[in-house]
Amino acid sequence: MLTDETKQIFYQALLDKNPDKDQHLVLKTSWIDTPLGPMVAIADDQLLYLLEFIDRRKLEREIERLRHRTQSVIVPGDSPLLTSIEAELASYFAGHLKAFKTPLRLLGSPFQQLVWDALTQIPYGSTLSYAEQATSLGKPRATRAVANANGANQIAIVIPCHRIINSNGELGGYGGGISRKKWLIQHEKIWNIDDALVGS
């Protein structure tokens, strides 16, 4: 769990120091503690824009890009969407939630959004290779482009890019770190097995 001092340092480093409330959009951000470490979520009252582990590489640039694309200010605060995603994450980590319902605002190219939508179709507890993902999109030669789009995903866990692995069975990359990717895959497989045993 992060201390208030650590959170304040983060806000000073990444968020708007002199927010102009006359801008068109005000986004709220909050901390979410998880078994894999703290995450930062950014949302308005209707949609979730970002969910990342706070130690993700280049998070500062990611937040700045979000602010620029949306012409918004980002300030600490609460919103119904932040409450929603915090509750859903708690349920996910407890092994009870398999499909997130919090509505999302995806900022990406049409190709990136196609890739991200395909990620949400991968069943809980399953994995695909990058090549299989590209083939499923009808673009079997676009493995690298698909992998890059996965890496541009700004909504960790909810858009489950952790379910994509190398063709040889190795984990491949993950913005949140390989140890977290391994944990998430194992977590989902364990709960999938438990549910199957209960239903048998």
Side-chain angles (χ1 to χ4, degrees):
M1 181 176 294
L2 294 176
T3 65
D4 290 340
E5 181 179 358
T6 303
K7 293 178 182 179
Q8 187 61 36
I9 291 171
F10 177 88
Y11 288 140
Q12 290 175 351
L14 298 187
L15 305 184
D16 293 277
K17 299 175 179 61
N18 298 297
D20 179 3
K21 296 299 180 65
D22 291 331
Q23 286 187 255
H24 296 298
L25 181 65
V26 176
L27 300 178
K28 303 291 183 62
T29 183
S30 71
W31 300 91
I32 301 175
D33 289 310
T34 80
L36 295 181
M39 303 184 78
V40 60
I42 299 176
D44 60 18
D45 289 338
Q46 297 179 320
L47 299 167
L48 179 68
Y49 288 69
L50 181 141
L51 179 67
E52 294 282 19
F53 291 100
I54 65 163
D55 57 359
R56 177 183 168 96
R57 289 181 63 251
K58 300 181 181 179
L59 178 59
E60 181 175 358
R61 184 180 301 177
E62 200 170 323
I63 292 175
E64 179 57 36
R65 185 164 54 245
L66 169 62
R67 181 163 44 211
H68 177 74
R69 285 183 175 181
T70 57
Q71 291 297 295
S72 65
V73 294
I74 302 173
V75 297
D78 295 317
S79 82
L81 263 293
L82 294 174
T83 300
S84 170
I85 192 58
E86 184 171 8
E88 286 199 322
L89 281 171
S91 183
Y92 170 84
F93 280 109
H96 304 315
L97 181 75
K98 295 186 175 182
F100 290 85
K101 297 182 179 178
T102 297
L104 311 176
R105 175 70 168 94
L106 303 180
L107 299 172
S109 68
F111 178 74
Q112 287 174 326
Q113 296 200 35
L114 179 69
V115 171
W116 298 336
D117 181 67
L119 288 171
T120 65
Q121 308 305 314
I122 302 172
Y124 178 97
S126 301
T127 58
L128 288 180
S129 70
Y130 293 97
E132 287 172 331
Q133 184 188 14
T135 299
S136 74
L137 292 168
K139 302 179 182 294
R141 297 188 178 184
T143 301
R144 181 169 295 182
V146 167
N148 288 338
N150 288 346
N153 171 30
Q154 292 187 308
I155 304 182
I157 301 178
V158 178
I159 298 179
C161 52
H162 61 273
R163 295 177 190 161
I164 301 297
I165 62 175
N166 290 341
S167 297
N168 62 5
E170 294 180 356
L171 292 179
Y174 184 59
I178 296 302
S179 61
R180 288 190 177 116
K181 184 173 186 175
K182 181 178 180 180
W183 191 98
L184 290 166
I185 290 172
Q186 291 179 338
H187 170 75
E188 293 183 359
K189 287 185 176 179
I190 288 170
W191 283 101
N192 236 15
I193 291 172
D194 286 349
D195 288 351
L197 290 174
V198 169
S200 62

Short mmCIF file of all heavy atoms in Angstrom, two decimals, residues 47-106:
data_model
loop_
_atom_site.label_atom_id
_atom_site.label_comp_id
_atom_site.label_asym_id
_atom_site.label_seq_id
_atom_site.Cartn_x
_atom_site.Cartn_y
_atom_site.Cartn_z
N LEU A 47 -16.78 6.85 -18.26
CA LEU A 47 -15.88 5.93 -18.94
C LEU A 47 -14.51 5.87 -18.27
O LEU A 47 -14.05 6.86 -17.71
CB LEU A 47 -15.69 6.36 -20.41
CG LEU A 47 -16.94 6.41 -21.28
CD1 LEU A 47 -16.66 7.15 -22.57
CD2 LEU A 47 -17.45 5.00 -21.57
N LEU A 48 -13.89 4.70 -18.35
CA LEU A 48 -12.53 4.50 -17.85
C LEU A 48 -11.55 4.71 -19.00
O LEU A 48 -11.66 4.08 -20.04
CB LEU A 48 -12.38 3.09 -17.29
CG LEU A 48 -11.01 2.70 -16.75
CD1 LEU A 48 -10.68 3.48 -15.49
CD2 LEU A 48 -10.97 1.19 -16.47
N TYR A 49 -10.57 5.59 -18.80
CA TYR A 49 -9.60 5.94 -19.84
C TYR A 49 -8.27 5.22 -19.69
O TYR A 49 -7.59 4.97 -20.68
CB TYR A 49 -9.33 7.45 -19.82
CG TYR A 49 -10.45 8.31 -20.34
CD1 TYR A 49 -11.65 8.44 -19.64
CD2 TYR A 49 -10.32 9.02 -21.52
CE1 TYR A 49 -12.67 9.24 -20.11
CE2 TYR A 49 -11.34 9.83 -22.01
CZ TYR A 49 -12.52 9.93 -21.28
OH TYR A 49 -13.54 10.71 -21.75
N LEU A 50 -7.87 4.93 -18.47
CA LEU A 50 -6.55 4.35 -18.24
C LEU A 50 -6.55 3.55 -16.96
O LEU A 50 -7.16 3.94 -15.95
CB LEU A 50 -5.49 5.47 -18.18
CG LEU A 50 -4.04 5.04 -17.98
CD1 LEU A 50 -3.09 5.91 -18.83
CD2 LEU A 50 -3.63 5.13 -16.51
N LEU A 51 -5.84 2.42 -17.00
CA LEU A 51 -5.62 1.60 -15.80
C LEU A 51 -4.25 0.95 -15.97
O LEU A 51 -4.07 0.10 -16.85
CB LEU A 51 -6.71 0.54 -15.65
CG LEU A 51 -6.56 -0.39 -14.45
CD1 LEU A 51 -6.75 0.36 -13.14
CD2 LEU A 51 -7.55 -1.55 -14.54
N GLU A 52 -3.29 1.37 -15.17
CA GLU A 52 -1.93 0.87 -15.31
C GLU A 52 -1.29 0.66 -13.93
O GLU A 52 -1.65 1.34 -12.96
CB GLU A 52 -1.07 1.88 -16.08
CG GLU A 52 -1.44 2.09 -17.54
CD GLU A 52 -0.96 0.99 -18.46
OE1 GLU A 52 -0.65 -0.11 -17.98
OE2 GLU A 52 -0.89 1.25 -19.68
N PHE A 53 -0.32 -0.24 -13.88
CA PHE A 53 0.51 -0.34 -12.70
C PHE A 53 1.41 0.90 -12.65
O PHE A 53 1.89 1.37 -13.68
CB PHE A 53 1.36 -1.61 -12.75
CG PHE A 53 0.55 -2.86 -12.59
CD1 PHE A 53 0.19 -3.63 -13.68
CD2 PHE A 53 0.12 -3.27 -11.32
CE1 PHE A 53 -0.57 -4.78 -13.54
CE2 PHE A 53 -0.65 -4.42 -11.17
CZ PHE A 53 -0.99 -5.17 -12.28
N ILE A 54 1.62 1.42 -11.44
CA ILE A 54 2.29 2.72 -11.35
C ILE A 54 3.76 2.65 -11.73
O ILE A 54 4.37 3.69 -12.01
CB ILE A 54 2.15 3.35 -9.96
CG1 ILE A 54 2.87 2.50 -8.91
CG2 ILE A 54 0.70 3.57 -9.60
CD1 ILE A 54 3.12 3.26 -7.62
N ASP A 55 4.34 1.46 -11.77
CA ASP A 55 5.74 1.36 -12.14
C ASP A 55 5.93 0.99 -13.62
O ASP A 55 7.02 0.64 -14.04
CB ASP A 55 6.48 0.36 -11.25
CG ASP A 55 5.87 -1.03 -11.28
OD1 ASP A 55 4.85 -1.23 -11.98
OD2 ASP A 55 6.38 -1.91 -10.57
N ARG A 56 4.87 1.08 -14.39
CA ARG A 56 5.00 0.82 -15.84
C ARG A 56 5.96 1.81 -16.46
O ARG A 56 5.90 3.02 -16.17
CB ARG A 56 3.64 0.91 -16.53
CG ARG A 56 3.73 0.71 -18.05
CD ARG A 56 2.38 0.87 -18.71
NE ARG A 56 2.50 0.95 -20.17
CZ ARG A 56 2.35 -0.08 -20.99
NH1 ARG A 56 2.07 -1.27 -20.51
NH2 ARG A 56 2.48 0.08 -22.29
N ARG A 57 6.81 1.32 -17.34
CA ARG A 57 7.75 2.20 -18.02
C ARG A 57 7.00 3.23 -18.86
O ARG A 57 6.01 2.93 -19.50
CB ARG A 57 8.68 1.40 -18.94
CG ARG A 57 9.70 0.55 -18.21
CD ARG A 57 10.59 -0.20 -19.18
NE ARG A 57 11.39 0.69 -20.00
CZ ARG A 57 11.22 0.90 -21.31
NH1 ARG A 57 10.25 0.26 -21.95
NH2 ARG A 57 12.01 1.71 -21.99
N LYS A 58 7.48 4.47 -18.80
CA LYS A 58 6.96 5.57 -19.60
C LYS A 58 5.50 5.91 -19.26
O LYS A 58 4.76 6.41 -20.11
CB LYS A 58 7.10 5.27 -21.10
CG LYS A 58 8.54 5.04 -21.54
CD LYS A 58 8.64 4.76 -23.02
CE LYS A 58 10.10 4.53 -23.43
NZ LYS A 58 10.22 4.22 -24.88
N LEU A 59 5.11 5.64 -18.01
CA LEU A 59 3.75 5.99 -17.61
C LEU A 59 3.51 7.50 -17.71
O LEU A 59 2.43 7.94 -18.10
CB LEU A 59 3.48 5.50 -16.19
CG LEU A 59 2.10 5.84 -15.61
CD1 LEU A 59 0.99 5.24 -16.46
CD2 LEU A 59 1.99 5.34 -14.17
N GLU A 60 4.52 8.27 -17.36
CA GLU A 60 4.38 9.73 -17.44
C GLU A 60 4.04 10.16 -18.86
O GLU A 60 3.13 10.99 -19.08
CB GLU A 60 5.67 10.40 -16.98
CG GLU A 60 5.60 11.93 -17.00
CD GLU A 60 6.85 12.57 -16.43
OE1 GLU A 60 7.75 11.84 -15.99
OE2 GLU A 60 6.91 13.81 -16.42
N ARG A 61 4.73 9.58 -19.85
CA ARG A 61 4.45 9.92 -21.25
C ARG A 61 3.05 9.45 -21.64
O ARG A 61 2.35 10.13 -22.41
CB ARG A 61 5.51 9.27 -22.14
CG ARG A 61 5.38 9.63 -23.60
CD ARG A 61 6.45 8.94 -24.43
NE ARG A 61 7.80 9.29 -23.97
CZ ARG A 61 8.89 8.76 -24.49
NH1 ARG A 61 8.82 7.86 -25.45
NH2 ARG A 61 10.08 9.13 -24.04
N GLU A 62 2.64 8.32 -21.13
CA GLU A 62 1.32 7.78 -21.44
C GLU A 62 0.22 8.71 -20.93
O GLU A 62 -0.77 8.98 -21.63
CB GLU A 62 1.18 6.40 -20.77
CG GLU A 62 0.13 5.52 -21.34
CD GLU A 62 0.22 4.11 -20.78
OE1 GLU A 62 1.34 3.62 -20.55
OE2 GLU A 62 -0.84 3.51 -20.58
N ILE A 63 0.40 9.21 -19.72
CA ILE A 63 -0.59 10.13 -19.15
C ILE A 63 -0.60 11.45 -19.89
O ILE A 63 -1.66 12.03 -20.15
CB ILE A 63 -0.33 10.32 -17.64
CG1 ILE A 63 -0.63 9.02 -16.89
CG2 ILE A 63 -1.19 11.46 -17.08
CD1 ILE A 63 -0.30 9.06 -15.42
N GLU A 64 0.58 11.93 -20.26
CA GLU A 64 0.65 13.17 -21.02
C GLU A 64 -0.03 13.03 -22.38
O GLU A 64 -0.74 13.94 -22.83
CB GLU A 64 2.12 13.58 -21.20
CG GLU A 64 2.30 14.87 -22.00
CD GLU A 64 1.57 16.06 -21.38
OE1 GLU A 64 1.53 16.14 -20.14
OE2 GLU A 64 1.04 16.88 -22.15
N ARG A 65 0.15 11.88 -23.02
CA ARG A 65 -0.51 11.64 -24.31
C ARG A 65 -2.03 11.60 -24.14
O ARG A 65 -2.78 12.14 -24.96
CB ARG A 65 0.00 10.34 -24.91
CG ARG A 65 -0.52 10.06 -26.31
CD ARG A 65 0.29 8.99 -27.02
NE ARG A 65 0.39 7.76 -26.24
CZ ARG A 65 1.53 7.30 -25.75
NH1 ARG A 65 2.66 7.95 -25.93
NH2 ARG A 65 1.55 6.17 -25.06
N LEU A 66 -2.49 10.99 -23.07
CA LEU A 66 -3.93 10.96 -22.79
C LEU A 66 -4.47 12.37 -22.59
O LEU A 66 -5.52 12.73 -23.14
CB LEU A 66 -4.18 10.10 -21.54
CG LEU A 66 -5.59 10.16 -20.94
CD1 LEU A 66 -6.62 9.65 -21.94
CD2 LEU A 66 -5.65 9.34 -19.65
N ARG A 67 -3.74 13.15 -21.83
CA ARG A 67 -4.18 14.53 -21.57
C ARG A 67 -4.25 15.33 -22.86
O ARG A 67 -5.19 16.09 -23.09
CB ARG A 67 -3.20 15.16 -20.57
CG ARG A 67 -3.54 16.57 -20.17
CD ARG A 67 -2.81 16.98 -18.91
NE ARG A 67 -1.43 16.56 -18.93
CZ ARG A 67 -0.74 16.23 -17.83
NH1 ARG A 67 -1.32 16.25 -16.65
NH2 ARG A 67 0.53 15.89 -17.91
N HIS A 68 -3.26 15.13 -23.73
CA HIS A 68 -3.23 15.87 -24.99
C HIS A 68 -4.36 15.43 -25.92
O HIS A 68 -5.04 16.27 -26.53
CB HIS A 68 -1.87 15.66 -25.67
CG HIS A 68 -1.76 16.31 -27.00
ND1 HIS A 68 -1.61 17.68 -27.16
CD2 HIS A 68 -1.78 15.79 -28.28
CE1 HIS A 68 -1.55 17.96 -28.44
NE2 HIS A 68 -1.65 16.84 -29.14
N ARG A 69 -4.58 14.12 -26.04
CA ARG A 69 -5.59 13.61 -26.95
C ARG A 69 -7.00 14.02 -26.54
O ARG A 69 -7.87 14.24 -27.39
CB ARG A 69 -5.51 12.09 -27.03
CG ARG A 69 -4.35 11.57 -27.84
CD ARG A 69 -4.40 10.05 -27.93
NE ARG A 69 -3.37 9.51 -28.80
CZ ARG A 69 -3.22 8.23 -29.06
NH1 ARG A 69 -4.04 7.33 -28.52
NH2 ARG A 69 -2.26 7.82 -29.86
N THR A 70 -7.24 14.10 -25.25
CA THR A 70 -8.57 14.41 -24.76
C THR A 70 -8.76 15.89 -24.46
O THR A 70 -9.87 16.32 -24.13
CB THR A 70 -8.88 13.61 -23.49
OG1 THR A 70 -7.89 13.89 -22.49
CG2 THR A 70 -8.89 12.12 -23.78
N GLN A 71 -7.65 16.67 -24.57
CA GLN A 71 -7.70 18.09 -24.21
C GLN A 71 -8.31 18.26 -22.82
O GLN A 71 -9.25 19.04 -22.61
CB GLN A 71 -8.49 18.88 -25.26
CG GLN A 71 -7.79 18.98 -26.61
CD GLN A 71 -6.47 19.74 -26.53
OE1 GLN A 71 -6.44 20.93 -26.23
NE2 GLN A 71 -5.38 19.02 -26.75
N SER A 72 -7.77 17.50 -21.88
CA SER A 72 -8.35 17.45 -20.54
C SER A 72 -7.34 17.86 -19.49
O SER A 72 -6.14 17.99 -19.76
CB SER A 72 -8.83 16.02 -20.24
OG SER A 72 -7.72 15.14 -20.21
N VAL A 73 -7.84 18.05 -18.28
CA VAL A 73 -6.99 18.14 -17.10
C VAL A 73 -7.24 16.88 -16.28
O VAL A 73 -8.34 16.32 -16.31
CB VAL A 73 -7.29 19.40 -16.26
CG1 VAL A 73 -6.92 20.64 -17.03
CG2 VAL A 73 -8.75 19.45 -15.83
N ILE A 74 -6.22 16.43 -15.58
CA ILE A 74 -6.33 15.22 -14.78
C ILE A 74 -6.01 15.57 -13.34
O ILE A 74 -4.91 16.06 -13.05
CB ILE A 74 -5.37 14.13 -15.30
CG1 ILE A 74 -5.66 13.82 -16.77
CG2 ILE A 74 -5.49 12.86 -14.46
CD1 ILE A 74 -4.66 12.89 -17.43
N VAL A 75 -6.95 15.33 -12.46
CA VAL A 75 -6.80 15.73 -11.06
C VAL A 75 -7.20 14.57 -10.15
O VAL A 75 -8.01 13.72 -10.53
CB VAL A 75 -7.67 16.96 -10.73
CG1 VAL A 75 -7.23 18.17 -11.56
CG2 VAL A 75 -9.15 16.66 -10.98
N PRO A 76 -6.64 14.50 -8.95
CA PRO A 76 -7.07 13.47 -7.99
C PRO A 76 -8.54 13.66 -7.64
O PRO A 76 -9.02 14.78 -7.51
CB PRO A 76 -6.16 13.71 -6.78
CG PRO A 76 -5.01 14.49 -7.31
CD PRO A 76 -5.54 15.34 -8.41
N GLY A 77 -9.26 12.57 -7.49
CA GLY A 77 -10.66 12.67 -7.13
C GLY A 77 -11.38 11.34 -7.27
O GLY A 77 -10.76 10.31 -7.52
N ASP A 78 -12.68 11.38 -7.10
CA ASP A 78 -13.52 10.19 -7.18
C ASP A 78 -14.53 10.35 -8.31
O ASP A 78 -14.92 11.45 -8.67
CB ASP A 78 -14.27 9.96 -5.87
CG ASP A 78 -13.33 9.66 -4.72
OD1 ASP A 78 -12.39 8.87 -4.92
OD2 ASP A 78 -13.52 10.23 -3.62
N SER A 79 -14.94 9.21 -8.85
CA SER A 79 -16.02 9.19 -9.82
C SER A 79 -16.68 7.83 -9.74
O SER A 79 -16.07 6.87 -9.25
CB SER A 79 -15.51 9.47 -11.24
OG SER A 79 -14.99 8.28 -11.81
N PRO A 80 -17.92 7.70 -10.22
CA PRO A 80 -18.58 6.39 -10.19
C PRO A 80 -17.78 5.32 -10.93
O PRO A 80 -17.77 4.16 -10.54
CB PRO A 80 -19.92 6.66 -10.90
CG PRO A 80 -20.17 8.12 -10.69
CD PRO A 80 -18.83 8.77 -10.72
N LEU A 81 -17.08 5.72 -12.00
CA LEU A 81 -16.29 4.75 -12.76
C LEU A 81 -15.08 4.27 -11.97
O LEU A 81 -14.71 3.09 -12.04
CB LEU A 81 -15.86 5.35 -14.09
CG LEU A 81 -16.73 5.01 -15.29
CD1 LEU A 81 -16.65 3.54 -15.64
CD2 LEU A 81 -18.18 5.41 -15.03
N LEU A 82 -14.46 5.15 -11.21
CA LEU A 82 -13.33 4.74 -10.40
C LEU A 82 -13.77 3.79 -9.29
O LEU A 82 -13.09 2.81 -8.99
CB LEU A 82 -12.63 5.97 -9.81
CG LEU A 82 -11.95 6.88 -10.84
CD1 LEU A 82 -11.41 8.13 -10.16
CD2 LEU A 82 -10.83 6.15 -11.57
N THR A 83 -14.93 4.06 -8.72
CA THR A 83 -15.49 3.16 -7.71
C THR A 83 -15.80 1.80 -8.34
O THR A 83 -15.53 0.75 -7.75
CB THR A 83 -16.76 3.76 -7.10
OG1 THR A 83 -16.44 5.01 -6.49
CG2 THR A 83 -17.36 2.83 -6.06
N SER A 84 -16.35 1.82 -9.55
CA SER A 84 -16.72 0.60 -10.24
C SER A 84 -15.51 -0.27 -10.54
O SER A 84 -15.51 -1.48 -10.26
CB SER A 84 -17.45 0.94 -11.55
OG SER A 84 -17.62 -0.21 -12.36
N ILE A 85 -14.45 0.33 -11.11
CA ILE A 85 -13.31 -0.49 -11.49
C ILE A 85 -12.56 -1.00 -10.26
O ILE A 85 -12.02 -2.11 -10.26
CB ILE A 85 -12.37 0.27 -12.45
CG1 ILE A 85 -11.35 -0.69 -13.07
CG2 ILE A 85 -11.67 1.42 -11.74
CD1 ILE A 85 -11.94 -1.84 -13.83
N GLU A 86 -12.54 -0.24 -9.19
CA GLU A 86 -11.90 -0.72 -7.96
C GLU A 86 -12.62 -1.95 -7.42
O GLU A 86 -11.99 -2.94 -7.02
CB GLU A 86 -11.85 0.38 -6.91
CG GLU A 86 -11.12 -0.04 -5.65
CD GLU A 86 -10.89 1.12 -4.69
OE1 GLU A 86 -11.42 2.23 -4.92
OE2 GLU A 86 -10.16 0.91 -3.70
N ALA A 87 -13.96 -1.92 -7.43
CA ALA A 87 -14.74 -3.06 -6.95
C ALA A 87 -14.56 -4.26 -7.87
O ALA A 87 -14.44 -5.40 -7.40
CB ALA A 87 -16.22 -2.67 -6.86
N GLU A 88 -14.54 -4.03 -9.17
CA GLU A 88 -14.37 -5.14 -10.11
C GLU A 88 -12.99 -5.78 -9.98
O GLU A 88 -12.85 -7.00 -10.06
CB GLU A 88 -14.62 -4.67 -11.54
CG GLU A 88 -16.09 -4.43 -11.84
CD GLU A 88 -16.39 -4.42 -13.33
OE1 GLU A 88 -15.57 -3.89 -14.11
OE2 GLU A 88 -17.45 -4.94 -13.71
N LEU A 89 -11.97 -4.96 -9.80
CA LEU A 89 -10.63 -5.50 -9.62
C LEU A 89 -10.53 -6.35 -8.36
O LEU A 89 -9.91 -7.42 -8.36
CB LEU A 89 -9.59 -4.38 -9.59
CG LEU A 89 -9.19 -3.79 -10.94
CD1 LEU A 89 -8.32 -2.55 -10.73
CD2 LEU A 89 -8.45 -4.81 -11.80
N ALA A 90 -11.15 -5.88 -7.29
CA ALA A 90 -11.14 -6.66 -6.04
C ALA A 90 -11.79 -8.02 -6.27
O ALA A 90 -11.30 -9.05 -5.79
CB ALA A 90 -11.85 -5.88 -4.94
N SER A 91 -12.90 -8.03 -7.01
CA SER A 91 -13.60 -9.28 -7.30
C SER A 91 -12.77 -10.17 -8.22
O SER A 91 -12.72 -11.39 -8.05
CB SER A 91 -14.96 -8.97 -7.93
OG SER A 91 -15.69 -10.15 -8.16
N TYR A 92 -12.10 -9.57 -9.19
CA TYR A 92 -11.23 -10.33 -10.10
C TYR A 92 -10.11 -11.01 -9.32
O TYR A 92 -9.84 -12.20 -9.49
CB TYR A 92 -10.66 -9.40 -11.16
CG TYR A 92 -9.56 -10.03 -12.00
CD1 TYR A 92 -9.85 -10.82 -13.10
CD2 TYR A 92 -8.21 -9.83 -11.66
CE1 TYR A 92 -8.83 -11.41 -13.85
CE2 TYR A 92 -7.20 -10.41 -12.40
CZ TYR A 92 -7.51 -11.19 -13.49
OH TYR A 92 -6.50 -11.78 -14.22
N PHE A 93 -9.42 -10.26 -8.48
CA PHE A 93 -8.30 -10.83 -7.74
C PHE A 93 -8.76 -11.86 -6.70
O PHE A 93 -7.98 -12.74 -6.32
CB PHE A 93 -7.49 -9.72 -7.07
CG PHE A 93 -6.53 -9.03 -8.02
CD1 PHE A 93 -6.77 -7.73 -8.44
CD2 PHE A 93 -5.42 -9.68 -8.49
CE1 PHE A 93 -5.90 -7.09 -9.31
CE2 PHE A 93 -4.54 -9.06 -9.37
CZ PHE A 93 -4.78 -7.77 -9.78
N ALA A 94 -10.01 -11.77 -6.28
CA ALA A 94 -10.55 -12.78 -5.38
C ALA A 94 -10.99 -14.04 -6.11
O ALA A 94 -11.39 -15.02 -5.48
CB ALA A 94 -11.73 -12.20 -4.59
N GLY A 95 -10.92 -14.01 -7.45
CA GLY A 95 -11.29 -15.18 -8.24
C GLY A 95 -12.76 -15.27 -8.58
O GLY A 95 -13.22 -16.30 -9.10
N HIS A 96 -13.51 -14.19 -8.34
CA HIS A 96 -14.96 -14.24 -8.55
C HIS A 96 -15.40 -13.62 -9.88
O HIS A 96 -16.46 -13.98 -10.40
CB HIS A 96 -15.68 -13.50 -7.41
CG HIS A 96 -15.34 -14.02 -6.06
ND1 HIS A 96 -15.29 -15.36 -5.75
CD2 HIS A 96 -15.03 -13.36 -4.90
CE1 HIS A 96 -14.97 -15.53 -4.48
NE2 HIS A 96 -14.79 -14.33 -3.95
N LEU A 97 -14.61 -12.70 -10.43
CA LEU A 97 -15.01 -11.98 -11.64
C LEU A 97 -14.19 -12.45 -12.83
O LEU A 97 -12.97 -12.50 -12.77
CB LEU A 97 -14.80 -10.47 -11.44
CG LEU A 97 -15.21 -9.60 -12.62
CD1 LEU A 97 -16.73 -9.49 -12.69
CD2 LEU A 97 -14.58 -8.21 -12.51
N LYS A 98 -14.87 -12.78 -13.91
CA LYS A 98 -14.19 -13.24 -15.12
C LYS A 98 -14.37 -12.29 -16.29
O LYS A 98 -13.61 -12.37 -17.27
CB LYS A 98 -14.69 -14.63 -15.51
CG LYS A 98 -14.34 -15.70 -14.48
CD LYS A 98 -14.71 -17.09 -14.96
CE LYS A 98 -14.25 -18.13 -13.97
NZ LYS A 98 -14.56 -19.51 -14.42
N ALA A 99 -15.34 -11.42 -16.23
CA ALA A 99 -15.59 -10.47 -17.32
C ALA A 99 -15.90 -9.10 -16.72
O ALA A 99 -16.84 -8.98 -15.93
CB ALA A 99 -16.73 -10.94 -18.21
N PHE A 100 -15.13 -8.10 -17.09
CA PHE A 100 -15.34 -6.75 -16.57
C PHE A 100 -16.48 -6.07 -17.31
O PHE A 100 -16.68 -6.28 -18.51
CB PHE A 100 -14.06 -5.94 -16.72
CG PHE A 100 -12.94 -6.36 -15.81
CD1 PHE A 100 -12.08 -7.39 -16.17
CD2 PHE A 100 -12.75 -5.73 -14.60
CE1 PHE A 100 -11.05 -7.79 -15.33
CE2 PHE A 100 -11.72 -6.12 -13.75
CZ PHE A 100 -10.87 -7.14 -14.12
N LYS A 101 -17.20 -5.24 -16.58
CA LYS A 101 -18.34 -4.53 -17.16
C LYS A 101 -18.16 -3.02 -17.16
O LYS A 101 -18.98 -2.30 -17.73
CB LYS A 101 -19.62 -4.91 -16.43
CG LYS A 101 -19.99 -6.38 -16.56
CD LYS A 101 -21.30 -6.71 -15.85
CE LYS A 101 -21.66 -8.18 -16.02
NZ LYS A 101 -22.91 -8.53 -15.29
N THR A 102 -17.12 -2.53 -16.51
CA THR A 102 -16.88 -1.09 -16.49
C THR A 102 -16.69 -0.59 -17.92
O THR A 102 -15.84 -1.10 -18.65
CB THR A 102 -15.62 -0.77 -15.66
OG1 THR A 102 -15.84 -1.16 -14.31
CG2 THR A 102 -15.31 0.72 -15.70
N PRO A 103 -17.45 0.41 -18.37
CA PRO A 103 -17.33 0.90 -19.75
C PRO A 103 -16.00 1.64 -19.97
O PRO A 103 -15.50 2.32 -19.08
CB PRO A 103 -18.52 1.84 -19.92
CG PRO A 103 -18.91 2.24 -18.53
CD PRO A 103 -18.56 1.08 -17.66
N LEU A 104 -15.46 1.49 -21.18
CA LEU A 104 -14.12 1.98 -21.48
C LEU A 104 -14.15 3.06 -22.56
O LEU A 104 -15.01 3.06 -23.43
CB LEU A 104 -13.23 0.84 -21.96
CG LEU A 104 -13.21 -0.44 -21.11
CD1 LEU A 104 -12.36 -1.50 -21.78
CD2 LEU A 104 -12.71 -0.14 -19.70
N ARG A 105 -13.17 3.94 -22.50
CA ARG A 105 -12.90 4.91 -23.58
C ARG A 105 -11.54 4.55 -24.15
O ARG A 105 -10.51 4.75 -23.49
CB ARG A 105 -12.90 6.34 -23.03
CG ARG A 105 -12.51 7.40 -24.07
CD ARG A 105 -13.61 7.57 -25.10
NE ARG A 105 -13.38 8.74 -25.92
CZ ARG A 105 -12.76 8.74 -27.10
NH1 ARG A 105 -12.31 7.60 -27.59
NH2 ARG A 105 -12.58 9.85 -27.77
N LEU A 106 -11.53 3.99 -25.34
CA LEU A 106 -10.29 3.52 -25.96
C LEU A 106 -9.78 4.55 -26.95
O LEU A 106 -10.46 4.89 -27.91
CB LEU A 106 -10.53 2.18 -26.66
CG LEU A 106 -11.10 1.06 -25.78
CD1 LEU A 106 -11.29 -0.21 -26.58
CD2 LEU A 106 -10.19 0.80 -24.58
#
